[in-house]
Amino acid sequence: MYKGAAVVFDRSGDGLLKAARLQSLNKDMQKLVNEFYKDDVRLVYGGGDPDSRIVLVGEAPGKHEIIQNKPFVGQAGKNLDEFIAILGINKEDLYITNTVKLRPYKTNPDTGREANRTPTTAEIRFFADFLKSELSIVHPELVVSLGNIALRSITGDEAATIGLLHGIPIDIEYSTINFKLFPLYHPASIIYRRELRHVYIEDLQKLKAYIKEQGLVH
Ligand code: URA
């Protein structure tokens, strides 16, 4: 169990202080990853406005995210941009991170090519405490999880499924903070399952109304 992260207990509104705490957390995380994996594993940390009242949590970085060292810059990022536009908010006003900070991939033995894969339960568990610490530092009022992996890590329920819980706000209580979790399908799943698109748009409209009602953006 990871215990080294700095945790903030109250909403300071001080983005600089939060940025410093996040930096220290990221350093701790990289150190532990290097020790654990005994390899030079590149991580993609969360980014955006650490003072945001809304946090988006994805699954894990892919190839493009590793190259650009930023979450959601590949095709899934393009889809995400489209959905953020539907919400009528600026991406820069959000804090965006991933459940797993390394790129899970497999290598095709015939071609040697690397392909993304779903994170393993061990990987999700490895990063779960870091995600908790990260969310405790940013201290949002609303967390939007994208897909099953983020939903399971944040709720602590490894059997939770987005097919049942999408669009339903859930109260989450961590030991240090409380927030509302709004589960959405992962934007990449809309690429492969076109039939989900209308459900996704409906969920986004609900989310938009919730954000407006709570006055979470200006
Ligand atoms: N890119 C990310 O950073 N996260 C995802 O979940 C998918 C693509």
PDB file of all heavy atoms in Angstrom, residues 44 57-62 65 70-77 96-98 116 146 186-188, ligand 1:
ATOM      1  N   VAL A  44       2.681   9.090 -17.956  1.00  0.00           N
ATOM      2  CA  VAL A  44       2.020  10.336 -18.367  1.00  0.00           C
ATOM      3  C   VAL A  44       1.203  10.805 -17.172  1.00  0.00           C
ATOM      4  O   VAL A  44       0.271  10.115 -16.734  1.00  0.00           O
ATOM      5  CB  VAL A  44       1.117  10.115 -19.605  1.00  0.00           C
ATOM      6  CG1 VAL A  44       0.370  11.392 -19.953  1.00  0.00           C
ATOM      7  CG2 VAL A  44       1.954   9.652 -20.795  1.00  0.00           C
ATOM      8  N   VAL A  57     -11.301  11.556 -15.619  1.00  0.00           N
ATOM      9  CA  VAL A  57     -10.357  10.448 -15.417  1.00  0.00           C
ATOM     10  C   VAL A  57     -10.552   9.403 -16.520  1.00  0.00           C
ATOM     11  O   VAL A  57     -11.623   8.801 -16.630  1.00  0.00           O
ATOM     12  CB  VAL A  57     -10.540   9.785 -14.031  1.00  0.00           C
ATOM     13  CG1 VAL A  57      -9.488   8.699 -13.828  1.00  0.00           C
ATOM     14  CG2 VAL A  57     -10.449  10.811 -12.906  1.00  0.00           C
ATOM     15  N   GLY A  58      -9.509   9.218 -17.334  1.00  0.00           N
ATOM     16  CA  GLY A  58      -9.544   8.226 -18.404  1.00  0.00           C
ATOM     17  C   GLY A  58      -8.956   6.907 -17.952  1.00  0.00           C
ATOM     18  O   GLY A  58      -8.819   6.639 -16.742  1.00  0.00           O
ATOM     19  N   GLU A  59      -8.574   6.084 -18.928  1.00  0.00           N
ATOM     20  CA  GLU A  59      -8.086   4.731 -18.634  1.00  0.00           C
ATOM     21  C   GLU A  59      -6.554   4.706 -18.479  1.00  0.00           C
ATOM     22  O   GLU A  59      -6.041   4.510 -17.384  1.00  0.00           O
ATOM     23  CB  GLU A  59      -8.530   3.824 -19.780  1.00  0.00           C
ATOM     24  CG  GLU A  59      -8.172   2.384 -19.602  1.00  0.00           C
ATOM     25  CD  GLU A  59      -8.798   1.516 -20.695  1.00  0.00           C
ATOM     26  OE1 GLU A  59     -10.033   1.578 -20.879  1.00  0.00           O
ATOM     27  OE2 GLU A  59      -8.055   0.783 -21.364  1.00  0.00           O
ATOM     28  N   ALA A  60      -5.855   4.934 -19.563  1.00  0.00           N
ATOM     29  CA  ALA A  60      -4.392   4.868 -19.553  1.00  0.00           C
ATOM     30  C   ALA A  60      -3.890   5.542 -20.820  1.00  0.00           C
ATOM     31  O   ALA A  60      -4.602   5.595 -21.826  1.00  0.00           O
ATOM     32  CB  ALA A  60      -3.925   3.415 -19.531  1.00  0.00           C
ATOM     33  N   PRO A  61      -2.657   6.045 -20.793  1.00  0.00           N
ATOM     34  CA  PRO A  61      -2.139   6.679 -22.019  1.00  0.00           C
ATOM     35  C   PRO A  61      -1.874   5.658 -23.120  1.00  0.00           C
ATOM     36  O   PRO A  61      -1.618   4.476 -22.837  1.00  0.00           O
ATOM     37  CB  PRO A  61      -0.819   7.312 -21.557  1.00  0.00           C
ATOM     38  CG  PRO A  61      -0.428   6.602 -20.311  1.00  0.00           C
ATOM     39  CD  PRO A  61      -1.698   6.102 -19.684  1.00  0.00           C
ATOM     40  N   GLY A  62      -1.944   6.101 -24.361  1.00  0.00           N
ATOM     41  CA  GLY A  62      -1.563   5.277 -25.514  1.00  0.00           C
ATOM     42  C   GLY A  62      -0.242   5.804 -26.065  1.00  0.00           C
ATOM     43  O   GLY A  62       0.439   6.615 -25.426  1.00  0.00           O
ATOM     44  N   GLU A  65       0.038   9.662 -26.441  1.00  0.00           N
ATOM     45  CA  GLU A  65       0.128  10.349 -25.144  1.00  0.00           C
ATOM     46  C   GLU A  65       1.558  10.235 -24.592  1.00  0.00           C
ATOM     47  O   GLU A  65       2.088  11.177 -24.017  1.00  0.00           O
ATOM     48  CB  GLU A  65      -0.868   9.755 -24.146  1.00  0.00           C
ATOM     49  CG  GLU A  65      -2.315  10.187 -24.366  1.00  0.00           C
ATOM     50  CD  GLU A  65      -2.993   9.494 -25.533  1.00  0.00           C
ATOM     51  OE1 GLU A  65      -2.481   8.455 -25.989  1.00  0.00           O
ATOM     52  OE2 GLU A  65      -4.041  10.002 -26.005  1.00  0.00           O
ATOM     53  N   LYS A  70       1.269  13.814 -22.521  1.00  0.00           N
ATOM     54  CA  LYS A  70       0.032  14.516 -22.144  1.00  0.00           C
ATOM     55  C   LYS A  70      -1.155  13.562 -22.310  1.00  0.00           C
ATOM     56  O   LYS A  70      -1.187  12.831 -23.315  1.00  0.00           O
ATOM     57  CB  LYS A  70      -0.144  15.687 -23.121  1.00  0.00           C
ATOM     58  CG  LYS A  70      -0.686  16.934 -22.533  1.00  0.00           C
ATOM     59  CD  LYS A  70      -0.697  18.018 -23.557  1.00  0.00           C
ATOM     60  CE  LYS A  70      -1.659  19.069 -23.090  1.00  0.00           C
ATOM     61  NZ  LYS A  70      -1.942  20.064 -24.065  1.00  0.00           N
ATOM     62  N   PRO A  71      -2.123  13.568 -21.367  1.00  0.00           N
ATOM     63  CA  PRO A  71      -3.275  12.673 -21.552  1.00  0.00           C
ATOM     64  C   PRO A  71      -4.166  13.117 -22.716  1.00  0.00           C
ATOM     65  O   PRO A  71      -4.264  14.309 -23.009  1.00  0.00           O
ATOM     66  CB  PRO A  71      -4.052  12.788 -20.226  1.00  0.00           C
ATOM     67  CG  PRO A  71      -3.269  13.649 -19.321  1.00  0.00           C
ATOM     68  CD  PRO A  71      -2.212  14.342 -20.129  1.00  0.00           C
ATOM     69  N   PHE A  72      -4.793  12.165 -23.362  1.00  0.00           N
ATOM     70  CA  PHE A  72      -5.806  12.404 -24.391  1.00  0.00           C
ATOM     71  C   PHE A  72      -5.360  13.330 -25.519  1.00  0.00           C
ATOM     72  O   PHE A  72      -5.953  14.382 -25.743  1.00  0.00           O
ATOM     73  CB  PHE A  72      -7.094  12.939 -23.746  1.00  0.00           C
ATOM     74  CG  PHE A  72      -7.890  11.875 -23.061  1.00  0.00           C
ATOM     75  CD1 PHE A  72      -7.853  11.745 -21.683  1.00  0.00           C
ATOM     76  CD2 PHE A  72      -8.654  10.975 -23.786  1.00  0.00           C
ATOM     77  CE1 PHE A  72      -8.575  10.739 -21.039  1.00  0.00           C
ATOM     78  CE2 PHE A  72      -9.373   9.964 -23.151  1.00  0.00           C
ATOM     79  CZ  PHE A  72      -9.340   9.847 -21.785  1.00  0.00           C
ATOM     80  N   VAL A  73      -4.326  12.908 -26.229  1.00  0.00           N
ATOM     81  CA  VAL A  73      -3.930  13.684 -27.413  1.00  0.00           C
ATOM     82  C   VAL A  73      -4.108  12.885 -28.714  1.00  0.00           C
ATOM     83  O   VAL A  73      -3.991  13.424 -29.796  1.00  0.00           O
ATOM     84  CB  VAL A  73      -2.472  14.195 -27.312  1.00  0.00           C
ATOM     85  CG1 VAL A  73      -2.334  15.258 -26.261  1.00  0.00           C
ATOM     86  CG2 VAL A  73      -1.502  13.043 -27.062  1.00  0.00           C
ATOM     87  N   GLY A  74      -4.375  11.569 -28.598  1.00  0.00           N
ATOM     88  CA  GLY A  74      -4.561  10.745 -29.799  1.00  0.00           C
ATOM     89  C   GLY A  74      -5.993  10.835 -30.307  1.00  0.00           C
ATOM     90  O   GLY A  74      -6.687  11.836 -30.070  1.00  0.00           O
ATOM     91  N   GLN A  75      -6.444   9.784 -30.994  1.00  0.00           N
ATOM     92  CA  GLN A  75      -7.805   9.783 -31.556  1.00  0.00           C
ATOM     93  C   GLN A  75      -8.857   9.905 -30.447  1.00  0.00           C
ATOM     94  O   GLN A  75      -9.842  10.631 -30.590  1.00  0.00           O
ATOM     95  CB  GLN A  75      -8.025   8.494 -32.364  1.00  0.00           C
ATOM     96  CG  GLN A  75      -9.373   8.416 -33.071  1.00  0.00           C
ATOM     97  CD  GLN A  75      -9.643   9.615 -33.988  1.00  0.00           C
ATOM     98  OE1 GLN A  75      -8.786  10.025 -34.767  1.00  0.00           O
ATOM     99  NE2 GLN A  75     -10.837  10.195 -33.869  1.00  0.00           N
ATOM    100  N   ALA A  76      -8.628   9.207 -29.319  1.00  0.00           N
ATOM    101  CA  ALA A  76      -9.582   9.297 -28.204  1.00  0.00           C
ATOM    102  C   ALA A  76      -9.660  10.738 -27.703  1.00  0.00           C
ATOM    103  O   ALA A  76     -10.704  11.214 -27.261  1.00  0.00           O
ATOM    104  CB  ALA A  76      -9.176   8.369 -27.075  1.00  0.00           C
ATOM    105  N   GLY A  77      -8.529  11.443 -27.795  1.00  0.00           N
ATOM    106  CA  GLY A  77      -8.487  12.850 -27.379  1.00  0.00           C
ATOM    107  C   GLY A  77      -9.335  13.719 -28.284  1.00  0.00           C
ATOM    108  O   GLY A  77     -10.016  14.637 -27.835  1.00  0.00           O
ATOM    109  N   ILE A  96      -7.302  16.891 -16.213  1.00  0.00           N
ATOM    110  CA  ILE A  96      -7.524  15.606 -16.901  1.00  0.00           C
ATOM    111  C   ILE A  96      -6.408  14.632 -16.548  1.00  0.00           C
ATOM    112  O   ILE A  96      -5.222  14.978 -16.617  1.00  0.00           O
ATOM    113  CB  ILE A  96      -7.586  15.813 -18.437  1.00  0.00           C
ATOM    114  CG1 ILE A  96      -8.685  16.826 -18.784  1.00  0.00           C
ATOM    115  CG2 ILE A  96      -7.826  14.485 -19.150  1.00  0.00           C
ATOM    116  CD1 ILE A  96      -8.841  17.128 -20.270  1.00  0.00           C
ATOM    117  N   THR A  97      -6.796  13.426 -16.164  1.00  0.00           N
ATOM    118  CA  THR A  97      -5.784  12.439 -15.790  1.00  0.00           C
ATOM    119  C   THR A  97      -6.226  11.038 -16.213  1.00  0.00           C
ATOM    120  O   THR A  97      -7.298  10.875 -16.813  1.00  0.00           O
ATOM    121  CB  THR A  97      -5.488  12.513 -14.273  1.00  0.00           C
ATOM    122  OG1 THR A  97      -4.318  11.750 -13.983  1.00  0.00           O
ATOM    123  CG2 THR A  97      -6.651  12.019 -13.437  1.00  0.00           C
ATOM    124  N   ASN A  98      -5.403  10.049 -15.913  1.00  0.00           N
ATOM    125  CA  ASN A  98      -5.721   8.656 -16.225  1.00  0.00           C
ATOM    126  C   ASN A  98      -5.648   7.793 -14.977  1.00  0.00           C
ATOM    127  O   ASN A  98      -4.921   8.125 -14.029  1.00  0.00           O
ATOM    128  CB  ASN A  98      -4.728   8.113 -17.261  1.00  0.00           C
ATOM    129  CG  ASN A  98      -5.095   8.521 -18.671  1.00  0.00           C
ATOM    130  OD1 ASN A  98      -6.221   8.292 -19.125  1.00  0.00           O
ATOM    131  ND2 ASN A  98      -4.157   9.142 -19.374  1.00  0.00           N
ATOM    132  N   ASN A 116      -1.985  -1.243 -27.980  1.00  0.00           N
ATOM    133  CA  ASN A 116      -2.541  -0.968 -26.648  1.00  0.00           C
ATOM    134  C   ASN A 116      -3.344  -2.163 -26.169  1.00  0.00           C
ATOM    135  O   ASN A 116      -3.909  -2.900 -26.972  1.00  0.00           O
ATOM    136  CB  ASN A 116      -3.490   0.237 -26.701  1.00  0.00           C
ATOM    137  CG  ASN A 116      -2.761   1.521 -27.021  1.00  0.00           C
ATOM    138  OD1 ASN A 116      -1.537   1.603 -26.905  1.00  0.00           O
ATOM    139  ND2 ASN A 116      -3.514   2.521 -27.438  1.00  0.00           N
ATOM    140  N   LEU A 146     -14.267   8.032 -17.327  1.00  0.00           N
ATOM    141  CA  LEU A 146     -14.478   7.654 -18.729  1.00  0.00           C
ATOM    142  C   LEU A 146     -14.204   6.159 -18.891  1.00  0.00           C
ATOM    143  O   LEU A 146     -13.052   5.731 -18.872  1.00  0.00           O
ATOM    144  CB  LEU A 146     -13.545   8.483 -19.628  1.00  0.00           C
ATOM    145  CG  LEU A 146     -13.675  10.009 -19.459  1.00  0.00           C
ATOM    146  CD1 LEU A 146     -12.552  10.741 -20.168  1.00  0.00           C
ATOM    147  CD2 LEU A 146     -15.028  10.498 -19.965  1.00  0.00           C
ATOM    148  N   HIS A 186     -16.356   5.463 -22.212  1.00  0.00           N
ATOM    149  CA  HIS A 186     -15.078   5.989 -22.695  1.00  0.00           C
ATOM    150  C   HIS A 186     -15.278   6.541 -24.110  1.00  0.00           C
ATOM    151  O   HIS A 186     -15.954   5.901 -24.926  1.00  0.00           O
ATOM    152  CB  HIS A 186     -14.034   4.867 -22.707  1.00  0.00           C
ATOM    153  CG  HIS A 186     -12.643   5.391 -22.877  1.00  0.00           C
ATOM    154  ND1 HIS A 186     -12.166   5.823 -24.091  1.00  0.00           N
ATOM    155  CD2 HIS A 186     -11.651   5.589 -21.981  1.00  0.00           C
ATOM    156  CE1 HIS A 186     -10.926   6.250 -23.928  1.00  0.00           C
ATOM    157  NE2 HIS A 186     -10.590   6.120 -22.660  1.00  0.00           N
ATOM    158  N   PRO A 187     -14.708   7.710 -24.422  1.00  0.00           N
ATOM    159  CA  PRO A 187     -14.920   8.264 -25.775  1.00  0.00           C
ATOM    160  C   PRO A 187     -14.475   7.307 -26.884  1.00  0.00           C
ATOM    161  O   PRO A 187     -15.051   7.299 -27.970  1.00  0.00           O
ATOM    162  CB  PRO A 187     -14.095   9.556 -25.797  1.00  0.00           C
ATOM    163  CG  PRO A 187     -13.415   9.669 -24.486  1.00  0.00           C
ATOM    164  CD  PRO A 187     -13.946   8.620 -23.566  1.00  0.00           C
ATOM    165  N   ALA A 188     -13.454   6.468 -26.605  1.00  0.00           N
ATOM    166  CA  ALA A 188     -12.986   5.535 -27.648  1.00  0.00           C
ATOM    167  C   ALA A 188     -14.041   4.470 -27.950  1.00  0.00           C
ATOM    168  O   ALA A 188     -14.112   3.967 -29.080  1.00  0.00           O
ATOM    169  CB  ALA A 188     -11.689   4.866 -27.217  1.00  0.00           C
TER     170      ALA A 188
HETATM  171  N1  URA B   1      -5.693   8.531 -23.981  1.00  0.00           N
HETATM  172  C1  URA B   1      -5.652   8.745 -22.645  1.00  0.00           C
HETATM  173  O1  URA B   1      -4.857   9.546 -22.160  1.00  0.00           O
HETATM  174  N2  URA B   1      -6.503   8.052 -21.887  1.00  0.00           N
HETATM  175  C2  URA B   1      -7.371   7.196 -22.360  1.00  0.00           C
HETATM  176  O2  URA B   1      -8.137   6.639 -21.591  1.00  0.00           O
HETATM  177  C3  URA B   1      -7.395   7.000 -23.765  1.00  0.00           C
HETATM  178  C4  URA B   1      -6.548   7.678 -24.544  1.00  0.00           C
END
